[in-house]
Amino acid sequence: MFFPCPSSWLAPIHLSVSVQNLSFTAGQPFISLTGPSRRTTPGNPVPFNCTAGPFSSWDFNVTWMKGSDEHPASAQHLVTNNQGNYFVTSKVWVTLTLQDLLLEITCEVTHRALGEPLRKTMNLSQVLQVVPTLKITTKTSGTYIHVQQRVNLTCHASHFYPSHLRLTWMENRHQVHTVESPQVTRNPDGTYSLKHTWQAEATLDGSEFACWVVQDEQPPFRANITLRAQPRKLTYSYSLQGPLQRSEPGKSIQLTYVSSGFPSRHITVTWFKKNHELPKTQTYVHPSGDTHNVTSRVLVPLQADDVLSFVQCHVSHKSTLVFQKAISLDQYLRVPPTVTVSQSSPSSDLVVVTCLVQRFYPQSVHLTWTENCHTIEGAEQLTSKQNSDGTYTLESLHLVNVSGPGSEQVLTCKVQHETQPPIQASLILSAEAHGTYKPIGSSDACLIFVAFLLGFKVLLAMSFIVTYICRWRSR
C-alpha cells in the first residue's frame, strides 16, 4: 500500500500497514513494472505502475520513456518502513496509438547509492488490441449463379492484433464451420491479416452467409453477404405460412406451403429440420386449368434449443429443385424463463438479493420486486444478455438493510414474459439469520405468509397472558 507525499518530498510517511507489506523486501533494491490487466484499443488511455526500493534515503529520481521520448509521470508516492528504508511507486497514463505496437514503455529509477539505474521495460503490444476490418468476396465460374452451384466465399480480416482469433462461418444464422486459429500474415505495421475461403451452395430463395471473427472472447465482428441463384423461368406464385401465436417447447407447430402455376403434377415437397427430413408431411397437388397447384403441410416439434434452428422447404418439379426457403423457428417459439432468487452479505447490515431470470425467449420481459407484498421502486435491473443457444438471461439486484428492528421480510421477484401468467420466486430475510430461501408459488402466498407470521405472534402473546392469569389465580 502506497500513500502520496507532499511535492517537497521532505516528510516521508510511516504507516504500520506499509511496514508489514514491505518489511520482507529489505536487501538489494528491486524494480517492478505492471500494466493494465486487459487489452485496450487505440485512442484509450491505460495506466502503468512502477515500484522500486528499498533505498537508504529519498533522494532518487523516476523517469518514464515511451520509445525514445520521455513521458511525464501522472502520480508518485513515497513509503518508508520501520527499518528506515524508502520505497517509491510511480504511475503514468499512456494514450495508445496503432504505432505503439512497435514501441516500449520504460521505467528508470536512479539513486546515488546505485552503481547503475534500475530499469524495467514492457512492450506496448502486450496491452494493445486492434480490431479487424472484415469483408466477404465471391468468385464464380460464370456470369450467372445457378441452382446448387458451388460458389467460393472468401472472408478477409485485415489489420488486427494480436494474431490469435477464432473464425466462424454462418449460414442463415446457423453455424456451419469454425476455425480456431486460422493462418495469418504479418503486416509491416505490426498488425496481422488473413483470408479464409468457404464453399457455399447457391439457392433460388437466397441464403445469408456471415463471417464471424472473435478476439479474446470479445463480442464477434462480422461481415454478411447474400448468395442467390438465378431462378428457372417458371411463372408460379407461392406462400409459406406458420401459426400466428408462439408455442412452448414440447409442442408442435404446422407450417404450410401453397403454390400455383406448375406446368405438370410431378411436384415433390420435402421439409427438413437441422438437415434431417421431417416425417409428418402431407402434400396435395390439384389441377387448375392448364396448370397445377400444390399444398404441403408439415408438423414441426419444438424444442428449447430451437431459437437458432430453422426449417427448410424444398420444392422440386420433375426432379429439378425450383424452390427452397429457410424458415426461422424463433418467430414461432416461446421459451418460458426459470426464476430463482439468492442472497449474499457484503456486510453485517446489508444483504444483496439477486433475481436470476434464465433461458427465456423472446427477449422482452418485465421484472418487478415486492417486499411484504408492496412493490419496490428503483431496484437495479440490467439489460438481458443473449446466451449461446439464442435464449436470454436477465439479472436484477436489490440491496436490503437488515440492521434495523422488525420481523421477517418477504422479498419476491415477479417476472412477466409475453402474455403468460407471471413467474415468481421469493426469499425470506430476518435480521438474525440474514434470510432463508423459501419459494412461494402463487401471487397470494406472500399475503398468506405475512398473515401467518402476525397470527403466530398473536398466539404467543395470548399464551403468555393466559399463563400469567392462571398463575395469579393460583396464589
Side-chain angles (χ1 to χ4, degrees):
M1 181 181 296
F2 299 98
F3 297 87
C5 294
S7 59
S8 62
W9 286 84
L10 296 180
I13 297 176
H14 299 268
L15 294 175
S16 60
V17 176
S18 300
V19 171
Q20 293 172 4
N21 290 340
L22 298 175
S23 59
F24 69 90
T25 60
Q28 293 297 322
F30 72 92
I31 185 171
S32 66
L33 177 61
T34 59
S37 59
R38 300 182 64 180
R39 295 182 180 272
T40 306
T41 55
N44 295 310
V46 294
F48 294 87
N49 290 282
C50 180
T51 303
F55 301 108
S56 59
S57 62
W58 54 266
D59 54 340
F60 45 76
N61 184 59
V62 180
T63 304
W64 287 93
M65 302 291 292
K66 179 185 177 185
S68 59
D69 299 326
E70 185 173 346
H71 199 286
S74 304
Q76 199 155 278
H77 306 270
L78 177 66
V79 172
T80 63
N81 62 12
N82 53 12
Q83 284 84 33
N85 296 313
Y86 291 80
F87 298 83
V88 64
T89 182
S90 181
K91 187 174 189 176
V92 66
W93 284 89
V94 177
T95 300
L96 298 176
T97 65
L98 181 60
Q99 291 73 25
D100 290 339
L101 281 173
L102 306 177
L103 295 181
E104 299 175 331
I105 187 75
T106 301
C107 174
E108 183 179 276
V109 179
T110 59
H111 189 269
R112 60 183 176 83
L114 295 173
E116 59 181 12
L118 298 175
R119 185 179 292 106
K120 203 72 173 179
T121 299
M122 179 183 293
N123 292 326
L124 290 175
S125 61
Q126 294 179 236
V127 300
L128 190 61
Q129 180 187 20
V130 183
V131 300
T133 56
L134 294 180
K135 68 175 182 179
I136 299 177
T137 59
T138 61
K139 183 178 181 181
T140 60
S141 58
T143 306
Y144 299 102
I145 302 175
H146 301 287
V147 176
Q148 295 182 322
Q149 180 180 344
R150 307 296 291 181
V151 178
N152 288 334
L153 304 179
T154 302
C155 180
H156 304 261
S158 304
H159 297 282
F160 57 90
Y161 192 91
S163 61
H164 177 74
L165 50 75
R166 184 171 72 252
L167 185 146
T168 300
W169 284 98
M170 309 286 289
E171 181 179 358
N172 295 325
R173 298 187 297 169
H174 179 68
Q175 178 178 326
V176 293
H177 185 64
T178 297
V179 183
E180 284 295 334
S181 298
Q183 186 176 359
V184 299
T185 302
R186 186 175 176 87
N187 302 315
D189 61 356
T191 61
Y192 295 87
S193 297
L194 68 84
K195 294 190 297 183
H196 189 270
T197 299
W198 172 255
Q199 198 171 72
E201 182 176 292
T203 62
L204 282 173
D205 195 59
S207 297
E208 183 184 65
F209 293 88
C211 174
W212 288 24
V213 169
V214 177
Q215 281 185 311
D216 294 331
E217 305 306 323
Q218 298 295 315
F221 303 94
R222 65 190 71 181
N224 301 327
I225 190 172
T226 299
L227 186 64
R228 191 183 306 274
Q230 183 184 21
R232 294 175 57 87
K233 293 183 178 180
L234 290 176
T235 57
Y236 66 90
S237 60
Y238 77 93
S239 67
L240 198 56
Q241 302 171 349
L244 299 179
Q245 295 182 342
R246 296 180 182 270
S247 299
E248 294 185 1
K251 297 183 179 180
S252 296
I253 61 170
Q254 180 175 276
L255 300 179
T256 303
Y257 168 84
V258 178
S259 184
S260 61
F262 286 95
S264 71
R265 62 177 296 107
H266 303 292
I267 305 162
T268 303
V269 182
T270 312
W271 300 83
F272 297 89
K273 179 185 178 185
K274 297 180 179 179
N275 297 323
H276 296 287
E277 184 175 350
L278 292 170
K280 297 182 180 180
T281 303
Q282 295 179 338
T283 302
Y284 306 95
V285 179
H286 316 280
S288 177
D290 296 334
T291 61
H292 294 77
N293 302 336
V294 61
T295 300
S296 181
R297 298 183 181 90
V298 65
L299 286 178
V300 182
L302 294 180
Q303 299 172 351
D305 60 352
D306 278 340
V307 175
L308 301 180
S309 301
F310 57 90
V311 170
Q312 286 187 327
C313 176
H314 290 192
V315 181
S316 299
H317 180 251
K318 293 184 176 180
S319 301
T320 300
L321 183 67
V322 295
F323 172 85
Q324 68 176 12
K325 176 76 173 181
I327 308 104
S328 299
L329 292 180
D330 60 350
Q331 60 187 311
Y332 306 118
L333 182 64
R334 179 181 64 252
V335 182
T338 58
V339 181
T340 56
V341 289
S342 60
Q343 69 177 63
S344 61
S345 301
S347 70
S348 60
D349 298 330
L350 297 177
V351 173
V352 177
V353 183
T354 302
C355 180
L356 188 59
V357 187
Q358 294 180 290
R359 290 183 56 81
F360 60 90
Y361 191 89
Q363 182 179 7
S364 177
V365 294
H366 181 67
L367 186 148
T368 55
W369 282 98
T370 61
E371 181 176 336
N372 295 336
C373 301
H374 298 289
T375 302
I376 301 173
E377 301 293 340
E380 180 185 4
Q381 181 169 333
L382 304 179
T383 304
S384 56
K385 298 179 180 180
Q386 190 171 26
N387 304 314
S388 59
D389 62 355
T391 60
Y392 291 89
T393 295
L394 177 68
E395 187 179 66
S396 180
L397 308 178
H398 179 55
L399 193 63
V400 182
N401 189 336
V402 295
S403 61
S407 60
E408 289 84 352
Q409 298 167 277
V410 181
L411 295 175
T412 301
C413 175
K414 181 182 295 185
V415 177
Q416 183 78 45
H417 184 235
E418 294 279 296
T419 58
Q420 302 304 301
I423 302 173
Q424 65 184 39
S426 297
L427 191 71
I428 304 171
L429 294 177
S430 66
E432 294 79 10
H434 270 206
T436 55
Y437 175 74
K438 185 178 294 184
I440 299 177
S442 65
S443 59
D444 296 329
C446 179
L447 290 172
I448 295 172
F449 182 78
V450 173
F452 171 77
L453 290 178
L454 293 176
F456 181 72
K457 292 183 177 180
V458 170
L459 288 175
L460 287 177
M462 292 179 64
S463 175
F464 175 80
I465 293 171
V466 171
T467 303
Y468 177 79
I469 292 173
C470 291
R471 288 183 179 180
W472 181 79
R473 288 183 176 180
S474 64
R475 290 181 181 178

